[in-house]
Structure formats: C-alpha cells, structure tokens
Amino acid sequence: MSRPGPRRLLLVVLTVLGLVCAGLSAGAGPAAAASAFPNTVVPVPVSETGNGSTFTLPAGATITSDDAGTGGYLAGILRASTGYALPLTVATSSPGTIALSLSGAPGTVGAEGYQLTVTATGVLIQAQQPAGLFHGVQTLLQLLPGAVMSASVRPGPWTVAGGTILDYPRFGYRGAMLDLARHFFTVAQVERYIDELALYKINYLHLHLSDDQGWRIAINSWPNLAVYGGSTEVGGGAGGYWTQADYSAVVAYAASRFMTVVPEIDIPGHTNAALASYASLNCDGVVPSRYTGTNVGFSSLCVPLPLTYTFVDQVLGELAALTPGPYLHIGGDEASSTSAADYATFVDKVERIVIAHGKSVMGWHDITDAGTPPAGAQAQFWDTTTSDPALAAAAADGTKVVMSPANHAYLDMKYNHRTKLGQTWAGLVDVDTAYGWDPGDYLTGVTGSEVAGVEGPLWTETIVTSADIDYMAFPRLPALAELGWSPWSTHDQTAFAARLGAQGPRWKTMGVNYYHSTQISWPAGS
Ligand code: TNX
C-alpha cells in the first residue's frame, strides 16, 4: 500500500476534525438541538429535534391509545384542566389528535422508552411497551403549560412546540423509598407520593415497612406485629398499620403508574417493634418496651434461636405472595447489636429464605459483609464514603448496586442549617449536591455496568405529613430522577437548574409543598 501524500493527509485530518466536532455537538445534542423545544422536561430526554411548528390542542381533540390505562390517565389530567371532552378510543386503527401507539417505535427505545412526535396537527407517542407510553405521556405533560396539572378548568391555549423526542433510560432501576415505620402514612398519602414520583419516571417504590418504632403490615401468622408493634411511632403518636388488602391496593396503584413495589422488612437490627410484640422472639424470652425515640443499632433478632427463622420464613412468605415485583428487601443495615459472625450466619439463612419464596434479594450494602448474595441480588449503597471493598467484591461477583449515597441521595437530609425538617449526619444536601454526582462512576471498584440505578430514601424520623414529604422530596427527587434516567453526556448544572425551575409552576398548581431552593430561579408566582 502506498503512503498517503500530504494532500490526502490534510483531507484525513480535516475529516477527523469534522467528525470530532460533529460528535461533540451530538454530545451536547439535547441542549443544542433544543432550540425549538423549551428546556422544561425533567429528566432531560436523550435527544430532541425541533421542527419549527407549533401544536395547539383544539377543543374538539380526540385521544386514541393502545393502552387503556395510560390513555385514561392522560385523558383524566387533560379533561380536568382544559375542560375539553377529549373522547378516548382504545384502538389502533385511526389515530386521534393525541395518539399513543404500541407500534412503529424504533427498537432503541427499549422497554421503557418512547418516541414523541409533535406536528402542527397532532401528537404521536410510540413505544414498544406500555411503560414507554406512560413515560412519553409524562414528557408531553411537561411540554404543555404547567396549568395542565390543574384539577379545575384553566384557560389555554394548550400549546406544544413541534418536533421529535427520542428517549429511554440510562438505568433500569430508578427508585424512591418511603419509611412508614418511623411515622405511619396512609394508603392515600402513599398514593399521592406515587403520583408525584411518576411525573419524573421513577419506576420502583421501596417501602420500609418495619423498624424499631413500628411494624406497618399485617402478617396473618404473627398478628401482634401489626396490632401491637404497629401502635407506636417516633414521638409517641398512635402509629398504624396496613392490612394486606391495603398493601395490595398500593401495589396495584403503583403498577398503574408503571412502578414496582419493593417491600422491606429490616432485619436482624431495627427490630424492636417485632421483639416487643412476641416474647418468644427474644433470646431471653423477655419483651422489650415499645420504642418511640430515634436511636439506631440497639435491637437484634435472636440469631441462634430456631424460631427466628420460622418467623422470617412466614413473614417473608406472606409478603412474597402479596408482591408481584421481583425483590424482597431484607434491610440488614446498622446491625451493631449483632456480632459479625451472627450477622453472617443470619444473612446467609435469610437470603436462602428469600430465594425459596421465589424472589430476589435486595438489602442495604451491609449485607455484602456476609459475602456475595445469591444470583440476582441488589445491594443498596447508603454510606457517605466513595469506596466499600465488600460491596465492590460482591459487585465483581454479579451483585448489582443501587446507589443511594446518603450525602447526595438521602431525601431526609436538611437542605441547609435553616431547614426545620430532617437530619444532618450525612451533610447538607441542596440541589447542586443532589444533582452533582455520577451514579455510574462514583464507587471505587464498582463499574457502570454493575450499577442497576439510583434510589432516593426518605427516612421519616422528622417527617409527619404529606406536606413534609413534598418539602423534602421536591426539588431533590427530580434531580436524582434525572441522574437515573438521562445520559451522563447531558449532565449540566445550569441547564438542569433552568428545567427544574420550570417545574415550580406545576408543583404550585398541584399543591406540592416544595422547597424553594435559592439555587433555582423559580418563575414568578410559583
Ligand atoms: C440511617 S442509612 C438509617 C436509618 C435512619 C437514617 C436517618 C440506613 C440504611 N439506615 O435507619 O432512618 O439513617 O437518616
């Protein structure tokens, strides 16, 4: 082969330069190509291409959907705020003004992604699976004026910029956790939170159902757990518990928002409510008092006691039967009243019980101190460090990692020293801190492909009402949701701050009691 002459070399160099530049601008695609699209969507989509047109929803618009549930969900929101009739047809044949279609989406959208096309005459959302249609609907709602979220009729016009959005998630696990044990929350309160989470494409709801201060789910084979162990909470309030029908109602409601419930029974520590409910579960046969304080690490199930495993088997068995999702979360955190040897024995036995009930293990990352969990397990990292050798070893052995570093992802940390609610042990977490880390490149020795995703835990020692939940989750939860969904190449604090600000009027309209972080310029009136 002859060597290229100088002219040819110049051409090659120019071509390479051109490609690099094209690549760079493609990397910045969502921001650069967004000129025709307002920067209002959180999490920011993978790619957006404006077409210069504008769509305004006409009063006589129709909706067609291949998925009845999501069609009804969209119609319900739009009818309430626009006052239009918006008849819904569940069919594929002739597309309505807004059409949700399970055909024609590019393969790249996968199980949860979608393609959204807005022309002057209509909106088409295409997906491979119903979850994708639902996520596409969330994007459409965020492209519409915030008043679209109103429960009563508001004036239009209901206008959307024209173009095409192609979108799919970076991570398959995008979770939020609510602690029902430190304070009890009703089914209605949790459903309200589910609706808020769904707006940001969260797809797992982790429910922390037991702790020292309360046991929140009825277990038929151990009735005192809920009746007695559920009758307290932090501060001495009455507590409460869900019947199994209540739990199933929440599971179904979450499923209607394409969210999978992960129930957690936290063992062997964090078990005072259970130990107080049954003398027979205690090594010394003596029941401790119920507990309404906020200390951690003082309780432990009795590891040498055979009845302990009958208990765990029956509790997890009932929960497994009620839970369609793949995971049972066994907690395992802060077991400082359990010796290391007992802890390892216990976790190994419990992991086998989970598998025997046909579920996969999820636990706080502490469970990897007991060795690599069984295949299919997920360990949830909660510490404030950036390395955990036991977790990294388990990850190398196939355990997937869910990232909840407390100093970035904990929704119960204060925003600043003036915040009345929340704790400070992991630091202060304002929007920049909530958004400023990369879940795929955070822990030493844990590679991006070992990360299943992210989760925002909301512990409730200081959280009592739905307004409190709103205040701690918003605006930080959307920051976490974007880290979980959007490609890292789109990560940009300034652009994120702008699209987060655009959520303010929506939350105002919906009555979401969000924290007006001074890092964001919230539109006037929101
Ligand atoms: C630590 S981190 C806990 C919880 C507390 C929380 C308060 C972890 C897995 N456990 O028991 O509620 O801190 O921020």
Side-chain angles (χ1 to χ4, degrees):
M1 226 174 77
S2 65
R3 299 177 54 195
R7 206 179 256 264
R8 177 105 190 270
L9 254 184
L10 188 71
L11 222 138
V12 169
V13 168
L14 285 178
T15 311
V16 167
L17 260 178
L19 282 176
V20 167
C21 291
L24 278 180
S25 60
S35 51
F37 269 107
N39 182 32
T40 59
V41 179
V42 178
V44 68
V46 170
S47 81
E48 306 176 339
T49 316
N51 65 13
S53 68
T54 299
F55 168 73
T56 302
L57 188 72
T62 58
I63 301 177
T64 55
S65 178
D66 284 343
D67 183 86
T70 298
Y73 171 90
L74 175 64
I77 291 173
L78 294 182
R79 284 173 191 152
S81 52
T82 65
Y84 302 162
L86 294 165
L88 166 68
T89 308
V90 180
T92 44
S93 41
S94 58
T97 320
I98 300 176
L100 313 183
S101 170
L102 287 172
S103 48
T108 45
V109 303
E112 288 198 281
Y114 61 91
Q115 179 171 274
L116 185 155
T117 310
V118 182
T119 63
T121 54
V123 175
L124 172 64
I125 300 176
Q126 296 163 292
Q128 306 264 340
Q129 301 286 335
L133 292 181
F134 187 76
H135 297 322
V137 160
Q138 299 306 337
T139 298
L140 173 61
L141 291 172
Q142 291 187 31
L143 292 170
L144 282 158
V148 79
M149 302 311 290
S150 173
S152 56
V153 176
R154 300 276 289 269
W158 306 102
T159 297
V160 186
T164 301
I165 290 179
L166 182 75
D167 201 15
Y168 47 85
R170 177 182 182 193
F171 294 112
Y173 189 103
R174 304 174 307 280
M177 186 214 83
L178 185 65
D179 170 11
L180 274 72
R182 272 50 178 272
H183 280 98
F184 175 67
F185 297 94
T186 63
V187 168
Q189 286 177 300
V190 174
E191 289 180 351
R192 172 192 160 93
Y193 194 39
I194 288 171
D195 277 337
E196 295 172 355
L197 297 169
L199 304 176
Y200 298 98
K201 303 183 173 79
I202 294 295
N203 65 347
Y204 280 89
L205 178 70
H206 167 185
L207 297 171
H208 185 76
L209 293 170
S210 71
D211 213 300
D212 293 314
Q213 299 87 346
W215 186 285
R216 304 299 179 210
I217 173 103
I219 300 296
N220 296 331
S221 47
W222 296 78
N224 276 359
L225 291 172
V227 174
Y228 184 78
S231 62
T232 47
E233 60 185 3
V234 167
Y241 67 88
W242 288 355
T243 64
Q244 295 197 350
D246 288 337
Y247 175 80
S248 295
V250 170
V251 166
Y253 194 84
S256 76
R257 272 66 174 144
F258 297 91
M259 214 175 283
T260 301
V261 168
V262 179
E264 177 187 353
I265 297 297
D266 197 353
I267 45 180
H270 293 276
T271 43
N272 190 77
L275 296 167
S277 303
Y278 287 95
S280 57
L281 288 177
N282 294 271
C283 284
D284 60 6
V286 179
V287 283
S289 308
R290 287 176 294 186
Y291 183 69
T292 59
T294 59
N295 289 338
V296 297
F298 61 88
S299 57
S300 179
L301 288 179
C302 185
V303 173
L305 191 71
L307 185 67
T308 294
Y309 305 96
T310 309
F311 167 79
V312 171
D313 182 55
Q314 292 179 335
V315 168
L316 294 186
E318 289 190 34
L319 215 45
L322 293 167
T323 303
Y327 301 110
L328 291 186
H329 199 303
I330 58 171
D333 57 315
E334 300 171 323
S336 35
S337 297
T338 318
S339 72
D342 273 3
Y343 184 80
T345 305
F346 179 84
V347 168
D348 180 65
K349 287 193 184 204
V350 170
E351 287 172 343
R352 290 169 199 274
I353 292 172
V354 171
I355 300 298
H357 288 293
K359 297 296 181 187
S360 296
V361 172
M362 189 156 167
W364 298 104
H365 72 264
D366 316 52
I367 65 168
T368 61
D369 291 342
T372 298
Q378 290 193 157
Q380 184 171 4
F381 177 75
W382 61 263
D383 215 333
T384 56
T385 58
T386 53
S387 81
D388 187 285
L391 177 59
D397 267 357
T399 298
K400 292 291 182 216
V401 179
V402 171
M403 293 297 296
S404 304
N407 48 340
H408 294 283
Y410 266 31
L411 300 174
D412 68 318
M413 290 301 118
K414 290 180 186 288
Y415 292 95
N416 57 53
H417 284 298
R418 292 179 301 284
T419 311
K420 293 204 174 63
L421 302 172
Q423 311 214 37
T424 55
W425 68 264
L428 300 169
V429 181
D430 209 326
V431 172
D432 55 350
T433 306
Y435 182 71
W437 61 289
D438 178 358
D441 186 19
Y442 188 83
L443 283 177
T444 307
V446 175
T447 62
S449 63
E450 292 162 355
V451 174
V454 297
E455 187 176 289
L458 180 47
W459 302 100
T460 60
E461 285 91 339
T462 65
I463 308 304
V464 182
T465 64
S466 284
D468 294 347
I469 293 176
D470 287 358
Y471 191 80
M472 300 309 267
F474 295 92
R476 290 182 290 199
L477 186 280
L480 187 72
E482 178 155 318
L483 294 180
W485 179 282
S486 305
W488 184 248
S489 59
T490 64
H491 194 262
D492 179 330
Q493 287 271 8
T494 309
F496 175 69
R499 51 184 174 270
L500 191 59
Q503 310 306 305
R506 282 161 199 279
W507 297 337
K508 170 90 174 174
T509 301
M510 296 171 70
V512 174
N513 178 40
Y514 69 102
Y515 166 61
H516 288 67
S517 168
T518 54
Q519 297 181 346
I520 305 298
S521 36
W522 305 102
S526 68

